[in-house]
Amino acid sequence: MHRASGLWLWAMLLVFVWSSVFFNLNGVYTGVTKFFFDCAPPPWAWPAWPKRDDATKPLEWEEAQAIGVKLMAEQARARGFEVERADALYYKLGKGLIQYRVRSSLDLGDRLGMTSVLFDAYTGDFVALSLPTGDRSGVTLTSWLAALHMGAVFGMPYRILVGAFGMAVVMLSATGVYIWWKKRSSSIRR
C-alpha cells in the first residue's frame, strides 16, 4: 500500500511540496524558479521608490481608487483582458507606491484577484502591471501552484480530491513509520 500509493501520488506530492516551498521559503522558491523560468519579483520585494524631499502628501483614498480604476482599464484594453471586479487598494508608503488589485479574466480560480497596477502614491503615474498568468512563465507557474495548493480551481470536485490527497499523505506517513518500525524490530532481534 505504501509503495503503490507513493508511486501514484508523486506528481500531486510534487505540486504540494513545491507550492509549500513557495509559501514558507519564498527566497529559495524564487531563486530556483528564476533559474528556470522568466520571473519578476513580487511588488513587496521591490526597492523603495525614490524619497520625496518636498512636503507633498500622498493621494487621498478616493483619488487613488479613481486613478487605479483608470490605469487598470487602460491596461485591460491594451493587453486584452477583462476586469471582473475590484479587489483591493493598498498603500505601500514605505515604497511610495499604491497597488490597485482586481479580479480579471487572467486570474485563476474563483476567489482572489491577483491582477494589479502599481502607481506612484504622490503623482498617480503608472509604474507597473502585475499579471497572474499569460505574461511571465514563472509567475504563471507560481499562480497555478498556489491555486492548486489552495484548492482554488476546478470547483468542489478538486477540493474533495485535495481532501482525499491529505488523507493519503497521512496514510503514507503512518505506513512509512510502520515499515521502518518492522525493519528496525527485525534487525534488533538478529
Side-chain angles (χ1 to χ4, degrees):
M1 189 160 80
H2 181 83
R3 288 183 187 142
S5 298
L7 179 64
W8 287 104
L9 297 174
W10 73 268
M12 195 75 165
L13 280 168
L14 181 63
V15 167
F16 277 86
V17 166
W18 194 236
S19 59
S20 295
V21 171
F22 166 67
F23 288 124
N24 296 298
L25 300 169
N26 196 269
V28 172
Y29 174 86
T30 302
V32 172
T33 303
K34 273 185 184 179
F35 187 75
F36 293 103
F37 299 98
D38 178 25
C39 288
W44 63 82
W46 288 15
W49 208 239
K51 287 262 187 197
R52 299 183 89 58
D53 293 332
D54 58 7
T56 307
K57 292 187 177 190
L59 298 167
E60 294 294 325
W61 284 102
E62 295 82 10
E63 187 179 9
Q65 182 176 359
I67 291 170
V69 169
K70 179 178 122 338
L71 291 173
M72 185 60 75
E74 290 170 0
Q75 292 299 315
R77 276 192 305 279
R79 299 282 189 121
F81 63 88
E82 299 289 323
V83 175
E84 295 171 6
R85 70 169 190 270
D87 220 21
L89 181 69
Y90 298 108
Y91 269 107
K92 299 181 180 300
L93 290 180
K95 306 228 182 259
L97 298 171
I98 297 174
Q99 179 184 26
Y100 177 69
R101 197 174 77 204
V102 301
R103 171 150 176 70
S104 77
S105 57
L106 297 176
D107 284 294
L108 298 171
D110 54 358
R111 296 182 191 169
L112 294 175
M114 298 305 292
T115 305
S116 64
V117 289
L118 284 104
F119 53 96
D120 187 290
Y122 298 90
T123 65
D125 293 336
F126 175 79
V127 173
L129 173 67
S130 178
L131 300 175
T133 60
D135 189 31
R136 294 176 178 253
S137 59
V139 175
T140 299
L141 172 71
T142 302
S143 295
W144 270 104
L145 284 173
L148 288 168
H149 187 102
M150 303 297 259
V153 290
F154 309 129
M156 187 56 72
Y158 181 72
R159 290 184 189 123
I160 292 168
L161 178 67
V162 168
F165 177 73
M167 297 304 292
V169 169
V170 170
M171 182 273 303
L172 284 170
S173 301
T175 56
V177 169
Y178 176 74
I179 291 168
W180 170 80
W181 185 259
K182 293 273 291 183
K183 285 182 178 181
R184 184 176 184 273
S185 298
S186 67
S187 67
I188 290 174
R189 282 188 239 155
R190 288 181 186 189

